Amino acid sequence: MAKICLCLTAKTLKRNLEILNKYRKFADLTELRVDCLDDDERLYLRRFPELAGMPVILTIRRDIDGGYFAGGEGARVKLLASGLAYANADSRHNFAYVDIEEDFDVPSLEEAARTFGTRIIRSCHNMQGVLENIPAKIKSMQRAGDEIVKVAVSVKTTNDVLKVLQASGECKNKEKILICMGHYGIYSRILAERFGSIMTYCSALSESEIPGASGQLDVQELAELYRFKKITKKTKIYGVVGNPLKTSVSPWFFNTIFGLENTDAVYVPFPVNSVDDFFDIANELDVRGLSITVPYKETVLPSLAKQSAAVKLIGACNTLFRDAAQEKKSADEPQAIPGWCGENTDCTGFSDSLLKFIGKKNLKYIKTTIVGAGGVARAVAAEIHRLGGKALILNRTVHKAKNIASQYNFRWGGLDSHGIETMSKFNDIIIQASSAGMEGYEPQPGLPDEDPLFDPLELYNFSGKEAVMDLIYTPPVTPFLKRATACGCKTINGYDMVIRQACLQYSYFMGNDIPHQLITWINTTGANAWNKIQTG
Ligand code: NDP
């Protein structure tokens, strides 16, 4: 079972101990990053294992390997030797592991470590990208059978992560640590067990210290939300595909539900730069269900084996699950992986939330402006049409607004003065369905580099009579929603909608409806917990 290693990167041993004591219940072992200690603190590093009271890795990471040790190799060897000296007969008072790089060549030090039961982690860090042949690298790095090989590579794309996962499959029986550093590698840290790694490194991110490496997760989140220690080869994997994902409520929602139900499942953020490459990873990991979010709701369509009627009508998909019929067939053909079925739960999530908000059963005689013409705007337009409403669609890229509007005989326009003027006839309800204002959103290459936090309707003057819905829920109040509220409009953000659509996703993933008491919990206690997470 993979273990959780808490990286300690404070400047003093005292502070490292404070952090360790606060989070020790979440970790199995800890790594003392001596390179982060002040110079005078380094003199006392030998005391740390006894003070820590849990297995400690001794690491002095060089700056070329992504660490902070800028001194010469002689000084580093001396420090390592001082950490391994005066070995105690009680091995718990010695460092349990020492991390030394593949090019480190001081046999006497390695011999001393072995004699006193300190295991060698033979490491290689590639900050530039993925290594060509990881299995060969692992084989060549290991100098003795008792060494644990650690390979940490910077992943810049989803394809890089795929290469690491495939390499891991090629050396299944080796005791190793494999790490995909960086944003795209986050899920390899949560799914360390499935990536064939004996441990995952994390940090206490709520503390002020720097994380041990790029892409590390918070130790408490890893242990409590993702229930890391319960993830085995049998655990069913679900997740959300998108970019960015920092603000998605879904990992919190599903993992909380799985935890409350005690279901052997985990829901993971999959930040990806290519959905095609990601499907290879999903097949390797046997992912059972996926939420699809910005910006892939439309690009995912060609990869689907089956599309629901809603997906076909809307032209966007936010839910993927494996086809049960195909699954039965494939029981006789273990190699065949059932294809993905695409559903759209944004539509019902949106209309249920909107109708409750305005206290109506349909949208007859109601005129609406929809801002945005991306994946979710497609679902919004379809639902407004189904409920008998009329709409104007305004979008930065006008032809996209036109495409959707033509399907339903709606009006369209740009976010310019002409579009805003037309709004005077479509302002009973305003639905903000663009990404403008979403936290963490970065404009896509090739599009105008506007401030993503800007108010897309800044040219529009609210009368105060409009019902205003912003589908964004992180932050809970966007600049647009703030202005609408200040003008006296009745407002709602996208939290209610996202929970409603996630409850529907649950039923596609699990094959049964979400238990009623869990919905009640999510709407009461859960909503408070999520707000607390968001406001830090
Ligand atoms: P897409 O990437 O498919 O579409 C993004 C849309 O936002 C496009 O219309 C795009 O315009 C527009 N846009 C992006 N940046 C700007 C900007 N700076 N100024 C004006 N318009 C901009 O995303 P989705 O449709 O999937 O999601 C859109 C938003 O809705 C997201 O913020 C998401 O969080 C939220 N959402 C909420 C849900 C909920 O349940 N509450 C569910 C789904 C989404 P252009 O065409 O010109 O690029």
Side-chain angles (χ1 to χ4, degrees):
M1 184 83 81
K3 291 187 161 51
I4 295 184
C5 176
L6 171 62
C7 285
L8 296 172
T9 57
K11 291 182 172 169
T12 67
L13 293 175
K14 185 167 173 248
R15 175 71 184 136
N16 277 328
L17 275 177
E18 255 171 47
I19 296 172
L20 181 58
N21 286 333
K22 197 162 158 192
Y23 300 97
R24 71 166 58 242
K25 67 175 175 199
F26 305 119
D28 300 297
L29 71 163
T30 187
E31 179 187 47
L32 179 67
R33 284 284 299 273
V34 176
D35 50 305
C36 299
L37 287 174
D38 284 339
D39 283 353
D40 47 352
E41 287 285 317
R42 291 175 179 171
L43 300 174
Y44 306 103
L45 71 96
R46 179 65 191 86
R47 295 182 188 165
F48 197 73
E50 188 173 352
L51 297 170
M54 70 158 60
V56 186
I57 304 174
L58 168 60
T59 300
I60 312 179
R61 184 76 60 236
R62 301 175 294 202
D63 48 6
I64 50 160
D65 295 321
Y68 297 91
F69 191 83
E73 193 57 358
R76 203 168 73 102
V77 171
K78 238 167 130 183
L79 267 179
L80 281 166
S82 72
L84 300 174
Y86 312 111
N88 198 302
D90 182 347
S91 62
R92 287 171 305 174
H93 297 174
N94 302 330
F95 281 97
Y97 305 88
V98 59
D99 181 317
I100 47 184
E101 298 74 10
E102 55 172 338
D103 58 349
F104 186 88
D105 201 15
V106 184
S108 56
L109 198 139
E110 292 174 22
E111 218 29 66
R114 281 202 176 88
T115 309
F116 296 107
T118 301
R119 286 196 73 185
I120 292 172
I121 297 176
R122 183 75 61 184
S123 68
C124 155
H125 294 79
N126 193 349
M127 313 310 289
Q128 270 67 53
V130 176
L131 301 162
E132 265 315 306
N133 189 342
I134 296 176
K137 183 78 179 171
I138 290 177
K139 213 167 154 203
S140 69
M141 277 169 68
Q142 196 180 37
R143 293 189 198 165
D146 60 350
E147 290 186 0
I148 300 165
V149 174
K150 173 182 174 191
V151 174
V153 293
S154 265
V155 290
K156 318 262 192 242
T157 63
T158 302
N159 192 262
D160 283 350
V161 183
L162 178 61
K163 283 183 197 158
V164 175
L165 181 61
Q166 286 169 338
S168 166
E170 284 176 43
C171 34
K172 271 200 180 97
N173 299 325
K174 276 252 180 269
E175 199 182 16
K176 61 190 175 304
I177 304 168
L178 272 183
I179 299 171
C180 296
M181 293 184 288
H183 167 69
Y184 289 116
I186 279 178
Y187 52 95
S188 74
R189 296 180 182 272
I190 301 169
L191 302 174
E193 176 76 22
R194 301 289 263 268
F195 272 73
S197 188
I198 61 161
M199 66 175 86
T200 198
Y201 291 77
C202 56
S203 292
L205 295 183
S206 1
E207 303 300 324
S208 53
E209 278 70 19
I210 41 161
S214 157
Q216 279 190 3
L217 278 107
D218 177 65
V219 63
Q220 184 166 355
E221 195 181 19
L222 194 63
E224 285 192 334
L225 183 67
Y226 293 104
R227 296 184 300 148
F228 179 87
K229 289 184 200 169
K230 293 203 164 168
I231 301 175
T232 65
K233 302 226 170 344
K234 287 191 184 148
T235 303
K236 288 194 167 147
I237 301 173
Y238 300 86
V240 53
V241 172
N243 208 4
L245 286 176
K246 260 198 340 226
T247 56
S248 170
V249 73
S250 302
W252 170 80
F253 173 86
F254 282 102
N255 287 312
T256 304
I257 298 285
F258 293 157
L260 290 169
E261 298 181 311
N262 208 11
T263 300
D264 187 11
V266 64
Y267 185 99
V268 180
F270 292 114
V272 310
N273 76 322
S274 150
V275 270
D276 281 350
D277 288 338
F278 177 71
F279 281 124
D280 289 337
I281 293 181
N283 287 343
E284 294 262 346
L285 292 173
D286 193 21
V287 173
R288 314 303 302 157
L290 290 166
S291 312
I292 306 291
T293 189
V294 187
Y296 298 122
K297 287 183 182 176
E298 292 156 85
T299 37
V300 78
L301 296 181
S303 312
L304 303 183
K306 219 164 132 187
Q307 298 183 10
S308 71
V311 170
K312 282 184 191 155
L313 172 75
I314 295 165
C317 167
N318 78 328
T319 308
L320 301 190
F321 56 99
R322 301 286 193 180
D323 184 338
Q326 280 194 40
E327 204 146 1
K328 274 193 198 123
K329 265 193 245 158
S330 67
D332 303 328
E333 321 158 31
Q335 294 308 314
I337 297 166
W340 288 110
C341 297
E343 230 338 318
N344 193 308
T345 63
D346 279 338
C347 41
T348 315
F350 161 73
S351 49
D352 287 355
S353 182
L354 177 70
L355 293 178
K356 183 167 174 255
F357 171 56
I358 59 171
K360 296 209 182 293
K361 291 209 162 80
N362 60 54
L363 297 177
K364 276 181 193 144
Y365 314 112
I366 293 180
K367 295 210 169 169
T368 302
T369 294
I370 304 167
V371 179
V376 78
R378 286 180 169 278
V380 168
E383 283 301 276
I384 289 178
H385 182 258
R386 185 180 66 82
L387 292 166
K390 296 258 179 278
L392 162 71
I393 305 178
L394 300 182
N395 193 43
R396 179 176 62 178
T397 312
V398 181
H399 73 86
K400 288 199 203 162
K402 182 181 173 190
N403 276 351
I404 306 176
S406 314
Q407 202 176 337
Y408 304 107
N409 212 10
F410 287 171
R411 302 275 299 273
W412 74 84
L415 291 168
D416 48 23
S417 52
H418 181 65
I420 302 296
E421 260 170 48
T422 321
M423 275 185 76
S424 60
K425 296 195 191 100
F426 290 87
N427 60 1
D428 298 322
I429 301 174
I430 300 173
I431 310 290
Q432 201 302 104
S434 85
S435 305
M438 182 174 86
E439 198 176 298
Y441 174 75
E442 283 167 24
Q444 286 174 43
L447 290 174
D449 191 15
E450 280 160 349
D451 171 8
L453 287 183
F454 99 119
D455 170 351
L457 281 189
E458 60 190 356
L459 298 177
Y460 178 76
N461 292 317
F462 291 103
S463 69
K465 291 194 184 127
E466 303 89 340
V468 178
M469 185 175 191
D470 193 332
L471 303 194
I472 292 172
Y473 54 86
T474 312
V477 184
T478 59
F480 163 77
L481 207 59
K482 190 174 175 185
R483 193 165 64 83
T485 312
C487 293
C489 301
K490 188 176 166 187
T491 57
I492 185 173
N493 70 10
Y495 180 79
D496 181 61
M497 169 179 166
V498 78
I499 295 301
R500 285 172 189 273
Q501 69 76 30
C503 288
L504 285 169
Q505 276 185 338
Y506 175 100
S507 56
Y508 287 110
F509 292 166
M510 311 307 280
N512 56 275
D513 286 349
I514 188 164
H516 192 71
Q517 72 274 21
L518 292 183
I519 301 184
T520 313
W521 186 91
I522 283 288
N523 286 336
T524 52
T525 324
N528 292 335
W530 169 250
N531 279 335
K532 216 167 142 203
I533 292 171
Q534 283 190 297
T535 50

